[in-house]
PDB file of all heavy atoms in Angstrom:
ATOM      1  N   HIS Q 213       5.639  16.841   0.996  1.00  0.00           N
ATOM      2  CA  HIS Q 213       6.424  15.632   0.998  1.00  0.00           C
ATOM      3  C   HIS Q 213       6.246  14.847  -0.294  1.00  0.00           C
ATOM      4  O   HIS Q 213       7.208  14.453  -0.946  1.00  0.00           O
ATOM      5  CB  HIS Q 213       5.969  14.790   2.184  1.00  0.00           C
ATOM      6  CG  HIS Q 213       6.884  13.677   2.487  1.00  0.00           C
ATOM      7  ND1 HIS Q 213       8.060  13.851   3.176  1.00  0.00           N
ATOM      8  CD2 HIS Q 213       6.804  12.365   2.198  1.00  0.00           C
ATOM      9  CE1 HIS Q 213       8.649  12.689   3.311  1.00  0.00           C
ATOM     10  NE2 HIS Q 213       7.915  11.771   2.725  1.00  0.00           N
ATOM     11  N   THR Q 214       5.037  14.691  -0.643  1.00  0.00           N
ATOM     12  CA  THR Q 214       4.698  13.911  -1.824  1.00  0.00           C
ATOM     13  C   THR Q 214       5.397  14.445  -3.048  1.00  0.00           C
ATOM     14  O   THR Q 214       5.975  13.712  -3.828  1.00  0.00           O
ATOM     15  CB  THR Q 214       3.198  14.060  -2.121  1.00  0.00           C
ATOM     16  OG1 THR Q 214       2.516  14.187  -0.917  1.00  0.00           O
ATOM     17  CG2 THR Q 214       2.706  12.952  -2.978  1.00  0.00           C
ATOM     18  N   GLN Q 215       5.295  15.766  -3.175  1.00  0.00           N
ATOM     19  CA  GLN Q 215       5.759  16.331  -4.424  1.00  0.00           C
ATOM     20  C   GLN Q 215       7.271  16.233  -4.573  1.00  0.00           C
ATOM     21  O   GLN Q 215       7.778  16.036  -5.662  1.00  0.00           O
ATOM     22  CB  GLN Q 215       5.331  17.780  -4.492  1.00  0.00           C
ATOM     23  CG  GLN Q 215       4.931  18.144  -5.894  1.00  0.00           C
ATOM     24  CD  GLN Q 215       5.213  19.560  -6.153  1.00  0.00           C
ATOM     25  OE1 GLN Q 215       5.095  20.394  -5.262  1.00  0.00           O
ATOM     26  NE2 GLN Q 215       5.604  19.860  -7.368  1.00  0.00           N
ATOM     27  N   ARG Q 216       7.929  16.322  -3.450  1.00  0.00           N
ATOM     28  CA  ARG Q 216       9.371  16.271  -3.518  1.00  0.00           C
ATOM     29  C   ARG Q 216       9.825  14.908  -4.044  1.00  0.00           C
ATOM     30  O   ARG Q 216      10.729  14.796  -4.848  1.00  0.00           O
ATOM     31  CB  ARG Q 216       9.948  16.538  -2.120  1.00  0.00           C
ATOM     32  CG  ARG Q 216      11.448  16.606  -2.060  1.00  0.00           C
ATOM     33  CD  ARG Q 216      11.879  17.278  -0.764  1.00  0.00           C
ATOM     34  NE  ARG Q 216      11.235  16.707   0.415  1.00  0.00           N
ATOM     35  CZ  ARG Q 216      11.610  15.551   0.973  1.00  0.00           C
ATOM     36  NH1 ARG Q 216      12.582  14.844   0.456  1.00  0.00           N
ATOM     37  NH2 ARG Q 216      11.004  15.109   2.060  1.00  0.00           N
ATOM     38  N   LEU Q 217       9.163  13.863  -3.540  1.00  0.00           N
ATOM     39  CA  LEU Q 217       9.616  12.528  -3.883  1.00  0.00           C
ATOM     40  C   LEU Q 217       9.050  12.022  -5.198  1.00  0.00           C
ATOM     41  O   LEU Q 217       9.625  11.180  -5.856  1.00  0.00           O
ATOM     42  CB  LEU Q 217       9.197  11.561  -2.770  1.00  0.00           C
ATOM     43  CG  LEU Q 217       9.881  11.817  -1.438  1.00  0.00           C
ATOM     44  CD1 LEU Q 217       9.160  11.075  -0.340  1.00  0.00           C
ATOM     45  CD2 LEU Q 217      11.328  11.386  -1.509  1.00  0.00           C
ATOM     46  N   ASP Q 218       7.926  12.512  -5.531  1.00  0.00           N
ATOM     47  CA  ASP Q 218       7.125  11.856  -6.545  1.00  0.00           C
ATOM     48  C   ASP Q 218       6.741  12.942  -7.543  1.00  0.00           C
ATOM     49  O   ASP Q 218       5.750  13.617  -7.385  1.00  0.00           O
ATOM     50  CB  ASP Q 218       5.905  11.275  -5.809  1.00  0.00           C
ATOM     51  CG  ASP Q 218       4.956  10.559  -6.706  1.00  0.00           C
ATOM     52  OD1 ASP Q 218       5.233  10.441  -7.892  1.00  0.00           O
ATOM     53  OD2 ASP Q 218       3.919  10.123  -6.202  1.00  0.00           O
ATOM     54  N   ARG Q 219       7.591  13.092  -8.546  1.00  0.00           N
ATOM     55  CA  ARG Q 219       7.482  14.280  -9.379  1.00  0.00           C
ATOM     56  C   ARG Q 219       6.195  14.362 -10.199  1.00  0.00           C
ATOM     57  O   ARG Q 219       5.805  15.393 -10.648  1.00  0.00           O
ATOM     58  CB  ARG Q 219       8.682  14.373 -10.310  1.00  0.00           C
ATOM     59  CG  ARG Q 219       9.873  15.005  -9.639  1.00  0.00           C
ATOM     60  CD  ARG Q 219      11.158  14.562 -10.248  1.00  0.00           C
ATOM     61  NE  ARG Q 219      11.361  13.137 -10.029  1.00  0.00           N
ATOM     62  CZ  ARG Q 219      12.478  12.490 -10.322  1.00  0.00           C
ATOM     63  NH1 ARG Q 219      13.471  13.113 -10.879  1.00  0.00           N
ATOM     64  NH2 ARG Q 219      12.593  11.203 -10.066  1.00  0.00           N
ATOM     65  N   SER Q 220       5.569  13.246 -10.391  1.00  0.00           N
ATOM     66  CA  SER Q 220       4.353  13.289 -11.202  1.00  0.00           C
ATOM     67  C   SER Q 220       3.167  13.676 -10.324  1.00  0.00           C
ATOM     68  O   SER Q 220       3.266  14.623  -9.567  1.00  0.00           O
ATOM     69  CB  SER Q 220       4.151  11.952 -11.895  1.00  0.00           C
ATOM     70  OG  SER Q 220       3.146  12.092 -12.847  1.00  0.00           O
ATOM     71  N   VAL Q 221       2.088  12.935 -10.335  1.00  0.00           N
ATOM     72  CA  VAL Q 221       0.894  13.441  -9.653  1.00  0.00           C
ATOM     73  C   VAL Q 221       0.617  12.759  -8.310  1.00  0.00           C
ATOM     74  O   VAL Q 221      -0.511  12.598  -7.906  1.00  0.00           O
ATOM     75  CB  VAL Q 221      -0.349  13.346 -10.570  1.00  0.00           C
ATOM     76  CG1 VAL Q 221      -0.248  14.317 -11.712  1.00  0.00           C
ATOM     77  CG2 VAL Q 221      -0.551  11.933 -11.063  1.00  0.00           C
ATOM     78  N   GLY Q 222       1.660  12.362  -7.624  1.00  0.00           N
ATOM     79  CA  GLY Q 222       1.450  11.857  -6.262  1.00  0.00           C
ATOM     80  C   GLY Q 222       1.008  10.411  -6.180  1.00  0.00           C
ATOM     81  O   GLY Q 222       0.491   9.966  -5.161  1.00  0.00           O
ATOM     82  N   VAL Q 223       1.227   9.685  -7.261  1.00  0.00           N
ATOM     83  CA  VAL Q 223       0.766   8.305  -7.309  1.00  0.00           C
ATOM     84  C   VAL Q 223       1.416   7.462  -6.212  1.00  0.00           C
ATOM     85  O   VAL Q 223       0.762   6.626  -5.582  1.00  0.00           O
ATOM     86  CB  VAL Q 223       1.080   7.708  -8.706  1.00  0.00           C
ATOM     87  CG1 VAL Q 223       0.943   6.214  -8.688  1.00  0.00           C
ATOM     88  CG2 VAL Q 223       0.179   8.334  -9.752  1.00  0.00           C
ATOM     89  N   VAL Q 224       2.678   7.686  -5.964  1.00  0.00           N
ATOM     90  CA  VAL Q 224       3.378   6.842  -4.992  1.00  0.00           C
ATOM     91  C   VAL Q 224       2.802   7.060  -3.597  1.00  0.00           C
ATOM     92  O   VAL Q 224       2.615   6.116  -2.826  1.00  0.00           O
ATOM     93  CB  VAL Q 224       4.894   7.113  -5.025  1.00  0.00           C
ATOM     94  CG1 VAL Q 224       5.596   6.287  -3.966  1.00  0.00           C
ATOM     95  CG2 VAL Q 224       5.443   6.795  -6.401  1.00  0.00           C
ATOM     96  N   ASN Q 225       2.506   8.298  -3.295  1.00  0.00           N
ATOM     97  CA  ASN Q 225       1.906   8.554  -1.986  1.00  0.00           C
ATOM     98  C   ASN Q 225       0.553   7.877  -1.871  1.00  0.00           C
ATOM     99  O   ASN Q 225       0.192   7.320  -0.832  1.00  0.00           O
ATOM    100  CB  ASN Q 225       1.761  10.064  -1.753  1.00  0.00           C
ATOM    101  CG  ASN Q 225       1.394  10.364  -0.318  1.00  0.00           C
ATOM    102  OD1 ASN Q 225       2.009   9.846   0.607  1.00  0.00           O
ATOM    103  ND2 ASN Q 225       0.346  11.150  -0.134  1.00  0.00           N
ATOM    104  N   PHE Q 226      -0.196   7.896  -2.962  1.00  0.00           N
ATOM    105  CA  PHE Q 226      -1.481   7.198  -2.979  1.00  0.00           C
ATOM    106  C   PHE Q 226      -1.284   5.706  -2.682  1.00  0.00           C
ATOM    107  O   PHE Q 226      -1.971   5.118  -1.847  1.00  0.00           O
ATOM    108  CB  PHE Q 226      -2.153   7.381  -4.344  1.00  0.00           C
ATOM    109  CG  PHE Q 226      -3.342   6.487  -4.546  1.00  0.00           C
ATOM    110  CD1 PHE Q 226      -4.588   6.849  -4.072  1.00  0.00           C
ATOM    111  CD2 PHE Q 226      -3.206   5.268  -5.211  1.00  0.00           C
ATOM    112  CE1 PHE Q 226      -5.680   6.004  -4.246  1.00  0.00           C
ATOM    113  CE2 PHE Q 226      -4.284   4.429  -5.389  1.00  0.00           C
ATOM    114  CZ  PHE Q 226      -5.529   4.801  -4.904  1.00  0.00           C
ATOM    115  N   ILE Q 227      -0.310   5.103  -3.361  1.00  0.00           N
ATOM    116  CA  ILE Q 227      -0.091   3.663  -3.181  1.00  0.00           C
ATOM    117  C   ILE Q 227       0.360   3.388  -1.747  1.00  0.00           C
ATOM    118  O   ILE Q 227      -0.081   2.434  -1.104  1.00  0.00           O
ATOM    119  CB  ILE Q 227       0.939   3.126  -4.208  1.00  0.00           C
ATOM    120  CG1 ILE Q 227       0.420   3.322  -5.634  1.00  0.00           C
ATOM    121  CG2 ILE Q 227       1.215   1.641  -3.971  1.00  0.00           C
ATOM    122  CD1 ILE Q 227       1.415   2.920  -6.733  1.00  0.00           C
ATOM    123  N   ASP Q 228       1.210   4.273  -1.243  1.00  0.00           N
ATOM    124  CA  ASP Q 228       1.680   4.129   0.135  1.00  0.00           C
ATOM    125  C   ASP Q 228       0.492   4.055   1.106  1.00  0.00           C
ATOM    126  O   ASP Q 228       0.457   3.213   2.004  1.00  0.00           O
ATOM    127  CB  ASP Q 228       2.578   5.336   0.462  1.00  0.00           C
ATOM    128  CG  ASP Q 228       3.179   5.271   1.845  1.00  0.00           C
ATOM    129  OD1 ASP Q 228       4.150   4.513   2.021  1.00  0.00           O
ATOM    130  OD2 ASP Q 228       2.669   5.960   2.752  1.00  0.00           O
ATOM    131  N   LYS Q 229      -0.493   4.901   0.904  1.00  0.00           N
ATOM    132  CA  LYS Q 229      -1.655   4.942   1.806  1.00  0.00           C
ATOM    133  C   LYS Q 229      -2.578   3.753   1.556  1.00  0.00           C
ATOM    134  O   LYS Q 229      -3.129   3.177   2.482  1.00  0.00           O
ATOM    135  CB  LYS Q 229      -2.440   6.246   1.611  1.00  0.00           C
ATOM    136  CG  LYS Q 229      -1.640   7.493   1.884  1.00  0.00           C
ATOM    137  CD  LYS Q 229      -1.120   7.519   3.295  1.00  0.00           C
ATOM    138  CE  LYS Q 229       0.094   8.375   3.493  1.00  0.00           C
ATOM    139  NZ  LYS Q 229       1.267   8.112   2.696  1.00  0.00           N
ATOM    140  N   LEU Q 230      -2.736   3.403   0.294  1.00  0.00           N
ATOM    141  CA  LEU Q 230      -3.614   2.269  -0.039  1.00  0.00           C
ATOM    142  C   LEU Q 230      -3.086   0.989   0.616  1.00  0.00           C
ATOM    143  O   LEU Q 230      -3.851   0.172   1.130  1.00  0.00           O
ATOM    144  CB  LEU Q 230      -3.655   2.111  -1.566  1.00  0.00           C
ATOM    145  CG  LEU Q 230      -4.727   1.200  -2.144  1.00  0.00           C
ATOM    146  CD1 LEU Q 230      -6.110   1.827  -1.965  1.00  0.00           C
ATOM    147  CD2 LEU Q 230      -4.468   0.957  -3.637  1.00  0.00           C
ATOM    148  N   LEU Q 231      -1.767   0.850   0.589  1.00  0.00           N
ATOM    149  CA  LEU Q 231      -1.165  -0.357   1.155  1.00  0.00           C
ATOM    150  C   LEU Q 231      -1.150  -0.315   2.688  1.00  0.00           C
ATOM    151  O   LEU Q 231      -0.988  -1.343   3.341  1.00  0.00           O
ATOM    152  CB  LEU Q 231       0.267  -0.534   0.630  1.00  0.00           C
ATOM    153  CG  LEU Q 231       0.405  -0.705  -0.881  1.00  0.00           C
ATOM    154  CD1 LEU Q 231       1.867  -0.830  -1.277  1.00  0.00           C
ATOM    155  CD2 LEU Q 231      -0.373  -1.912  -1.383  1.00  0.00           C
ATOM    156  N   ALA Q 232      -1.301   0.878   3.238  1.00  0.00           N
ATOM    157  CA  ALA Q 232      -1.352   0.984   4.699  1.00  0.00           C
ATOM    158  C   ALA Q 232      -2.760   0.700   5.211  1.00  0.00           C
ATOM    159  O   ALA Q 232      -2.951   0.452   6.393  1.00  0.00           O
ATOM    160  CB  ALA Q 232      -0.930   2.384   5.133  1.00  0.00           C
ATOM    161  N   ARG Q 233      -3.733   0.745   4.313  1.00  0.00           N
ATOM    162  CA  ARG Q 233      -5.104   0.620   4.805  1.00  0.00           C
ATOM    163  C   ARG Q 233      -5.914  -0.349   3.939  1.00  0.00           C
ATOM    164  O   ARG Q 233      -5.900  -1.543   4.173  1.00  0.00           O
ATOM    165  CB  ARG Q 233      -5.762   2.000   4.875  1.00  0.00           C
ATOM    166  CG  ARG Q 233      -6.985   2.026   5.745  1.00  0.00           C
ATOM    167  CD  ARG Q 233      -7.391   3.419   6.204  1.00  0.00           C
ATOM    168  NE  ARG Q 233      -7.490   4.392   5.113  1.00  0.00           N
ATOM    169  CZ  ARG Q 233      -7.702   5.680   5.302  1.00  0.00           C
ATOM    170  NH1 ARG Q 233      -7.809   6.166   6.517  1.00  0.00           N
ATOM    171  NH2 ARG Q 233      -7.792   6.503   4.277  1.00  0.00           N
ATOM    172  N   GLN Q 234      -6.573   0.160   2.895  1.00  0.00           N
ATOM    173  CA  GLN Q 234      -7.547  -0.670   2.183  1.00  0.00           C
ATOM    174  C   GLN Q 234      -6.938  -1.919   1.537  1.00  0.00           C
ATOM    175  O   GLN Q 234      -7.540  -2.979   1.534  1.00  0.00           O
ATOM    176  CB  GLN Q 234      -8.235   0.130   1.069  1.00  0.00           C
ATOM    177  CG  GLN Q 234      -9.058   1.305   1.500  1.00  0.00           C
ATOM    178  CD  GLN Q 234      -8.260   2.585   1.436  1.00  0.00           C
ATOM    179  OE1 GLN Q 234      -7.080   2.619   1.814  1.00  0.00           O
ATOM    180  NE2 GLN Q 234      -8.889   3.645   0.960  1.00  0.00           N
TER     181      GLN Q 234
END
Side-chain angles (χ1 to χ4, degrees):
Chain Q
H213 193 79
T214 326
Q215 218 211 325
R216 184 163 50 78
L217 294 165
D218 180 3
R219 277 154 295 188
S220 191
V221 291
V223 166
V224 177
N225 191 48
F226 169 84
I227 298 176
D228 183 78
K229 300 301 156 303
L230 193 69
L231 299 178
R233 198 161 51 187
Q234 297 95 319

